[in-house]
Amino acid sequence: MKTVSFGSTTAPALIAGMMRIDSLDDEQIRDLYATARDAGIDFFDHADIYGGQMHRCEARFADALQLSAAERDEVVLQTKCGIVPAQGMFDFSYDHIIAQVEGSLAALRTDRIDVLLLHRPDALVEPDEVARAFDHLESSGKVRAFGVSNHTPSQIELLKTAVGQPLVANQLQLSLTHAPIIAQPVAANMAGHDQSIGRDGGGIVDYCRIHGITVQAWSPYQSGFGGGVFLGHPDYPELNAVIERLAGVHGVTPTAIATAWITRHPAGMQVVLGTTTPHRVQEAAAGADVVLTRAEWYELFRAAGHLLPRSLRSGPRVVYPDPMPFLFSLLVIALMIGALIDIITRDDSQVKYLPKMVWIIIVILLPLIGSALWFAIGREYGEAGVPLPRMRRAERPSAPTATVARPAPSVDTRSTEQQIADLDREIEEWRLREEIEKRRRERGDDALPQS
């Protein structure tokens, strides 16, 4: 098992969290404990509030394991205090800290707490009271080391104005998908992007590195606060694809890769496991020994949805839609409308091959092809390539002689060539009529036959 710096000593990179063991029987707790020990984990995390009532999980741990004095010396027991669920408040007063530590010592059946953390910040904290409690607990040998959880740099600095003991740990929520403590500094000075906003004082990881405080990452596989596990979740397809591929590369499980992403950070973090399933503990332990390359670490970072300055330099990348499909659609619509207007207003005699209604249906169902076919073969054109106006016989002034009356056809079904030929005949006929009239006037011969 990989180890990390922890105060003046070292500790395993993984911590076995005991928050959920109240649902296990004694045999299951012993199996979980043995699996952790076999994997190299000798660090166990508790809190006075775990189990739904004060000191419930601490007591279940002690009752199930019945550790001998020698076994007790082989493990590190960490617990937390400061939350008062029954009253909906935090309490870092001297009296509360002392009382809760005494309760934890009794529940765990031990004479000492190896590490005591203040459980989340107390808005009404009095550093002097905390210092007095820590001094008493240290001098009496009841607590060996102290730390905090979910504290910002300024909150830690406030405690240090009175607390003389080094604060060796800060337990913070961290996972691939919930990583503001890492992602925010990466996007620093990138105005307009949510990731660049410094929350909780900002820079907590760097602060802990500078001051020798070990970051303990809780909920390492959760998508967010109460958001569920991201491993295998359909909401994270890209991330899980990368995790699965890297798991194959390194010969481990996805759980191990998610663990390795945290332990790869040079801050030397500890991963707090919340699982009560032994084989999950084994998978996570294997991840502590996987050393991701820098490229692999950043690939996971990007796949989890975090942004890098390279992609932020010009603001978020805006993908504009390709205008060509839109323009093409407009062109097809315009062509279809033009074809429909042309078909509807065109005389039936100028519609070729198919009835007018059939052409309308084809153009509506197949706008592009139908319109192209209509203009190519479906209509009559003049010799110059433009529509030929329909030829109608001109009215002539009444002649002195009677003319042959011709009934107008109800429907002109002639083609353009036929219309031209008929027009030529009519012109010739009128020329002959004029010639006959001229000869009659010259000869006075009314007996000539009329054509």
Side-chain angles (χ1 to χ4, degrees):
M1 169 65 64
K2 173 184 177 180
T3 60
V4 299
S5 295
F6 193 83
S8 59
T9 184
T10 61
L14 266 62
I15 299 174
M18 298 290 104
M19 185 175 70
R20 299 183 178 90
I21 64 169
D22 62 302
S23 63
L24 305 182
D25 60 31
D26 288 358
E27 185 60 35
Q28 290 173 320
I29 293 174
R30 286 192 287 269
D31 188 22
L32 181 64
Y33 174 83
T35 301
R37 292 300 307 276
D38 291 343
I41 302 171
D42 59 10
F43 201 119
F44 296 87
D45 178 69
H46 292 272
D48 57 1
I49 63 169
Y50 289 169
Q53 64 186 60
M54 282 297 178
H55 308 293
R56 168 66 175 164
C57 283
E58 293 171 329
R60 289 291 301 117
F61 180 86
D63 291 344
L65 298 177
Q66 301 287 327
L67 295 178
S68 67
E71 290 174 318
R72 171 66 183 87
D73 290 340
E74 293 174 353
V75 299
V76 175
L77 296 184
Q78 172 177 280
T79 194
K80 300 180 283 292
C81 71
I83 300 177
V84 188
Q87 295 176 266
M89 68 179 192
F90 297 99
D91 190 351
F92 286 179
S93 68
Y94 172 87
D95 290 340
H96 183 77
I97 293 174
I98 298 300
Q100 293 309 108
V101 169
E102 293 293 348
S104 292
L105 290 170
L108 289 166
R109 300 184 187 180
T110 183
D111 61 349
R112 67 192 183 276
I113 301 297
D114 294 300
V115 186
L116 175 68
L117 305 184
L118 297 178
H119 207 175
R120 292 191 172 274
D122 177 9
L124 303 181
V125 62
E126 294 287 352
D128 290 338
E129 283 202 65
V130 175
R132 188 157 63 94
F134 283 9
D135 288 344
H136 171 77
L137 294 170
E138 182 183 44
S139 63
S140 62
K142 294 179 178 179
V143 176
R144 292 185 171 180
F146 302 89
V148 295
S149 77
N150 304 290
H151 273 56
T152 68
S154 60
Q155 289 167 338
I156 296 174
E157 284 296 311
L158 177 62
L159 288 173
K160 288 167 65 176
T161 61
V163 172
Q165 294 80 8
L167 300 176
V168 298
N170 189 7
Q171 203 167 97
L172 302 164
Q173 184 174 8
L174 174 64
S175 72
L176 256 170
T177 54
H178 181 87
I181 62 175
I182 293 176
Q184 184 277 317
V186 170
N189 201 36
M190 305 305 297
H193 297 279
D194 184 74
Q195 183 178 309
S196 71
I197 299 173
R199 296 180 172 86
D200 306 325
I204 184 60
V205 173
D206 295 336
Y207 176 89
C208 289
R209 293 180 70 179
I210 293 169
H211 294 278
I213 300 173
T214 301
V215 172
Q216 297 179 341
W218 59 274
S219 288
Y221 315 117
Q222 297 288 318
S223 59
F225 189 78
V229 176
F230 61 81
L231 292 170
H233 198 286
D235 286 350
Y236 302 92
E238 181 182 356
L239 174 59
N240 280 293
V242 175
I243 290 174
E244 291 281 355
R245 176 169 54 78
L246 292 179
V249 170
H250 292 278
V252 294
T253 63
T255 298
I257 294 300
T259 304
W261 185 82
I262 297 174
T263 58
R264 171 63 176 83
H265 197 283
M269 302 177 183
Q270 291 180 291
V271 177
V272 183
L273 305 178
T275 183
T276 57
T277 306
H279 81 268
R280 294 292 186 194
V281 174
Q282 294 170 334
E283 292 177 355
D289 294 323
V290 172
V291 180
L292 298 174
T293 67
R294 186 178 294 267
E296 290 170 338
W297 190 92
Y298 273 107
E299 183 181 11
L300 288 165
F301 182 83
R302 296 192 307 273
H306 307 301
L307 303 177
L308 294 175
R310 178 185 62 83
S311 60
L312 293 173
R313 198 164 290 140
S314 300
R317 185 175 64 179
V318 179
V319 180
Y320 293 100
D322 184 357
M324 291 309 297
F326 177 71
L327 295 177
F328 180 76
S329 298
L330 284 180
L331 179 62
V332 171
I333 292 173
L335 184 64
M336 179 186 71
I337 293 174
L340 290 173
I341 293 174
D342 191 52
I343 295 171
I344 293 170
T345 58
R346 186 159 296 277
D347 192 276
D348 289 345
S349 64
Q350 295 179 301
V351 177
K352 299 168 62 177
Y353 300 111
L354 297 171
K356 181 186 291 187
M357 184 55 65
V358 174
W359 277 113
I360 291 174
I361 294 173
I362 291 174
V363 170
I364 292 174
L365 296 179
L366 302 170
L368 180 61
I369 297 175
S371 299
L373 288 174
W374 164 253
F375 285 111
I377 64 172
R379 68 193 297 277
E380 291 287 352
Y381 289 97
E383 293 181 0
V386 296
L388 180 69
R390 184 179 176 185
M391 302 300 297
R392 295 184 181 276
R393 203 167 76 182
E395 294 291 334
R396 295 182 59 85
S398 0
T401 58
T403 59
V404 177
R406 295 179 181 272
S410 58
V411 177
D412 193 343
T413 59
R414 299 172 299 166
S415 67
T416 302
E417 292 80 3
Q418 290 173 331
Q419 291 181 21
I420 294 173
D422 290 344
L423 180 61
D424 288 340
R425 285 195 298 271
E426 288 181 8
I427 293 173
E428 181 63 21
E429 179 183 349
W430 282 105
R431 188 186 66 76
L432 290 174
R433 287 178 179 276
E434 289 295 331
E435 184 64 26
I436 292 172
E437 290 293 333
K438 181 179 178 182
R439 290 182 180 179
R440 282 180 176 175
R441 286 194 297 270
E442 290 177 351
R443 298 180 182 177
D445 187 358
D446 295 331
L448 289 175
Q450 295 185 13
S451 58

